[in-house]
Amino acid sequence: MTNYDVLVVGGGHNGLICAAYLARAGRKVMVLEANEQPGGAAASREFASGYTVSSCAHWLTQLSPQISKDLALERHGLQLAARDLDSIGLAPNGQHVTVTGSAVEGAALSEEDKLAYAEFHRKTIKFSRLLARAFAERPPKLVESNLTDRINLLKLGLGMKLLGKEDMSELLRLALINMYDVMEEHFDNETLKGLLSFDGVLGAHMGPRSPNTVFGYLYRRVGDVHGYNGPAVVKGGMGALGSAMADAARALGVEIRTASKVEKINLDQGRATGVTLNGGEVIGAKLVVSNADPVTTFEKLVGFRNVETGLVRRVSQIRMRSGVAKLHLALNGLPSFSGLTETQLGQRLVIAPTMDYIERAFNSSKYGESSTSPALDISIPSVHDSSLAPAGKHVLSAIVQYAPYDLGQGWDNHKEAFTQQLIETIGTYAPDIGERVVASELLTPVDLEREFHIKGGHWHHGEISLDQVMMMRPFPGATQYGTPVEGLYLCGAGTHPGGGVMGLAGRNAAREIIKRGGAA
Amino acid sequence: MSRKQGDTMMLETPFHSRVALANELNLWEAWSGYTTPSAYFDVELEYFAVRSAAGVFDLSPMNKYRITGPDAGAFLNRLVTRDVGKIGVDRVGYTVWCDNAGQVMDDGTIFHLAENDYRLCAYARAMDWLSWSALGFDVSVVDESAEVAALAVQGPTSCSCLQSMGLDGLETLKPFGIAHFDFEGEDLMVSRTGFTGDLGYEVWIAPNKAETLWDKLFEAGKPYMIKPFGSQALELTRIETGFLQAGVDFVPAQETIRPGRSRSPFELGLGWLVDLNKPVFNGRQALIREQQIGSRYHFVILDVDGNKPAHNSFLFKGQQQVGTVTSAAWCPTAKSNVAFAQIETACGDIGDQLVAEIYYEKELHWTRVLAPCKVIDGAVFNPARRRMTPAVAY
């Protein structure tokens, strides 16, 4: 029995956004979320009594302003505790480097480096603007393209042409190469090079010398195009964003069922007809949209045996092993970082003092070991939002690279030692951190996989690299949000343009479904 | 680097010592990495041994995959186009399998050995594709090509030969059936299958008993005029009886480089092997689409005037070129000049008249013949004894 027009499997931000747009277009939509709270990787968690952090993504840097406006997220409770924060690259000698939007400052920084950064920023934003335009549309197909696809491709080509001769050839040169070479070309200061190149590998299982990490950097800069002149902190943690999205979706008529894990997507003669929940309940719908990553969708929910071998092969080969862990610390007071004022502690703090430091950290991960000197992206959100910790106390959240998904010795035996090592790493810059810690939590990729139901724990549902973006995302031949399974669409970060709490994958998927007249 | 005499990079089949002894012409070719005889003593005589008495062909190089486990049947059903559920235990089924584009990757046979136990015989190496296909199934896929030795015993006296070797009751084995016999303490599996279109069997045995099997078979078959035959005689028999050869009449899809050069089952006249009622199998979606929009080619058998085989000929309907020949032979028993052809779908109904442009050479003198030909309904060689059970004794 078909009750719903559309069932969305997974109430992550893209699932909620997709559902909201579909409901706005008159579809009867239900979102099924396995966890207690909707929002997916936009989640908050009280990891120690009285201490709350964003448990996966911890900055808001890319959310599409169009989506914010369309869903009236502010009206539904989204508040930013801070925005347009600086990124501070920490140097062991205290000569830190601070990036504020288009400018960079630092005691050890030469005038040449400052000028070079301004030019580098101008150029990269210009490129990212081009990306942002492509991200807002469905990815064009290269073969069998129809008029819309041709126009989209044409726009992309025209956009590149309009960059001007010099910048266009620069883009074509840069997009494929690695951050290391590009940084060496542009800058002298090691800390600046470390800070910027870290943006190229953030969330990826790549090091600064890995090919197409420049693309990773440009990808992040799409956030700047979306109006984030630096990272923002969501009041109440990222979970509040998830709640706001859920409320926005409900206001548009979407029904959301939490704690309802979808066990499988039901098929009849190769067509998706609905889902079965883990309790055995069967729900029918005209269309099923999966917010889960493509591997989970096809391997677990649809079942590899129910699709053709070629698809199984494509899906199995998506690179989506994460090298990223999440560290949460409950602190009995603000730690003192050498060379930073108390207000600076609310900014984004990056421990990636040199590019070689990051590359060495990555080396370990390549061979199934955790980094001995990991690179960290640190947020102390309680500086901006006192609701996250008891009065006078603080929480620290850090993105940790690298912590391989398939750690040789297994994470159970290594979690505690690695947590200690991370605290010591931070201690190099904030000597009193050890005595401040009252509780800690480490979420390894394996934990992230379990908590957020993402295969491999990869927060982008698959590596963002040139072979896995645009018409190759999630894999060649399954583009534009449709799948070889009739009646099944994808809307998660595994589809174009990817994750990063941008929301465009969910919105684009909804637009595509509406355009194709699905479930009308 | 020096090389000893007889030391080649080619593998030898378990029958090699006997095959080499019988190979009076010392004529060899490569098949799936093995050295195998093109002919033993005379192609025509070998052919007539198969058609009038019994011929023995060493098919050990055939790629053989053992598929076992609780999902073995389900795995095969997703892999191939036909409904594997209809192949009972101790039965053999001919089938093709496709890629996602509905293009034929290979043809072969499925032997249903026991519950949840199958053997897949394939022209091309298939381990990679089978391994990918196994994801999501509780199934084990093992390449047993080198662990099973096999001979085809084909022709009117084949049953008598094998009976005289001690395979009592073999005459009751139905076409595509499987039976087991004891052979010197080893299991000898016999299937009533083959590639010659006549009464015939394939016998399967452990490699360590291969030479003994060869010796006993030829000894027992002597009164029945048993002879070995090579690939060239096999080629004549299979064309005469209308069997496609992978790599000749179609290029396995995974081996094609240029777009559009592979073929679908419908385009090869094998639509009868496609069961679109199965909810999922490789190529299903593409084949449904092909049924809606139509195929590009269709496969026909032609009866060509004259006695010049229409090798590689262009085919014309009036002034228009409508297709090409993939296999051709003068077929001695049927006494007809047969060609297999791929032609455009607009023509090629049974009875259609076409013209084959045949080139042939005699002593450096090339001649071009425009031979009329007719699309015929089915193979020219199809004797009743092929299907009769009990097998007719000769």
Side-chain angles (χ1 to χ4, degrees), chain B residues 124-155:
Chain B
R125 295 271 178 200
M127 201 58 196
D128 180 66
W129 185 249
L130 296 179
S131 301
W132 282 114
S133 300
L135 292 181
F137 290 94
D138 185 358
V139 71
S140 139
V141 180
V142 174
D143 182 348
E144 59 173 12
S145 304
E147 279 75 58
V148 181
L151 295 174
V153 186
Q154 305 279 306

Side-chain angles (χ1 to χ4, degrees), chain B residues 5 44 72 93 109-110 138 153 166 171 186 192 202 220 223-224 244 276 309 317 330 344 357 368 379 387:
Chain B
Q5 199 178 354
E44 271 74 34
T109 42
I110 293 171
D138 185 358
V153 186
E171 69 282 0
E186 196 69 57
R192 189 168 163 186
E202 288 168 328
Y224 303 99
L244 297 182
L276 292 173
K317 181 157 190 151
W330 163 256
E344 287 169 13
E357 185 181 23
R368 172 172 172 259
R387 287 171 297 274

Side-chain angles (χ1 to χ4, degrees), chain B residues 339-361:
Chain B
F340 295 173
Q342 46 183 5
I343 61 177
E344 287 169 13
T345 41
C347 50
D349 291 337
I350 307 298
D352 260 13
Q353 292 283 347
L354 302 173
V355 172
E357 185 181 23
I358 303 171
Y359 291 77
Y360 67 94
E361 182 244 33

Side-chain angles (χ1 to χ4, degrees), chain A residues 102-119 186-189 192:
Chain A
S102 60
V104 62
E105 282 303 331
L109 219 51
S110 67
E111 281 310 307
E112 285 87 348
D113 267 357
K114 290 180 192 172
L115 287 173
Y117 177 74
E119 167 59 13
H186 285 80
F187 308 111
D188 291 322
N189 185 282
L192 177 61

Side-chain angles (χ1 to χ4, degrees), chain B residues 21-83:
Chain B
L21 211 60
N23 192 348
E24 294 174 31
L25 296 172
N26 197 27
L27 216 54
W28 302 93
E29 64 188 58
W31 174 19
S32 207
Y34 288 82
T35 188
T36 59
S38 309
Y40 284 84
F41 45 95
D42 181 287
V43 176
E44 271 74 34
L45 292 180
E46 290 168 33
Y47 163 84
F48 278 111
V50 176
R51 286 291 181 240
S52 321
V56 177
F57 182 84
D58 178 5
L59 54 88
S60 306
M62 174 77 73
N63 293 301
K64 299 173 280 284
Y65 301 95
R66 189 64 167 266
I67 292 146
T68 53
D71 286 344
F75 161 83
L76 283 169
N77 234 349
R78 201 276 298 263
L79 181 77
V80 306
T81 54
R82 67 180 282 174
D83 185 355

Side-chain angles (χ1 to χ4, degrees), chain A residues 269 305 307-310 484, chain B residues 71 78 100 133 282-285:
Chain A
Q269 288 289 309
R305 54 193 293 159
V307 294
E308 300 187 14
T309 301
Chain B
D71 286 344
R78 201 276 298 263
N100 279 31
S133 300
N282 290 331
R284 180 178 183 265
Q285 291 182 350

Side-chain angles (χ1 to χ4, degrees), chain A residues 312-339:
Chain A
V312 171
R313 186 159 63 171
R314 286 289 194 200
V315 170
S316 310
Q317 285 175 325
I318 298 173
R319 289 179 296 112
M320 56 187 309
R321 292 227 153 158
S322 172
V324 184
K326 194 71 199 306
L327 174 74
H328 303 144
L329 299 178
L331 306 172
N332 60 15
L334 261 186
S336 31
F337 279 74
S338 355

Side-chain angles (χ1 to χ4, degrees), chain B residues 91-170:
Chain B
R91 297 289 299 163
V92 183
Y94 172 66
T95 188
V96 291
W97 49 101
C98 293
D99 62 12
N100 279 31
Q103 302 297 294
V104 176
M105 298 180 72
D106 207 347
D107 66 344
T109 42
I110 293 171
F111 288 70
H112 195 171
L113 305 175
E115 202 184 335
N116 298 327
D117 188 357
Y118 297 84
R119 175 179 296 153
L120 177 70
C121 291
Y123 160 81
R125 295 271 178 200
M127 201 58 196
D128 180 66
W129 185 249
L130 296 179
S131 301
W132 282 114
S133 300
L135 292 181
F137 290 94
D138 185 358
V139 71
S140 139
V141 180
V142 174
D143 182 348
E144 59 173 12
S145 304
E147 279 75 58
V148 181
L151 295 174
V153 186
Q154 305 279 306
T157 67
S158 57
C159 186
S160 303
C161 292
L162 290 164
Q163 279 171 324
S164 131
M165 198 180 72
L167 307 190
D168 294 337
L170 181 64

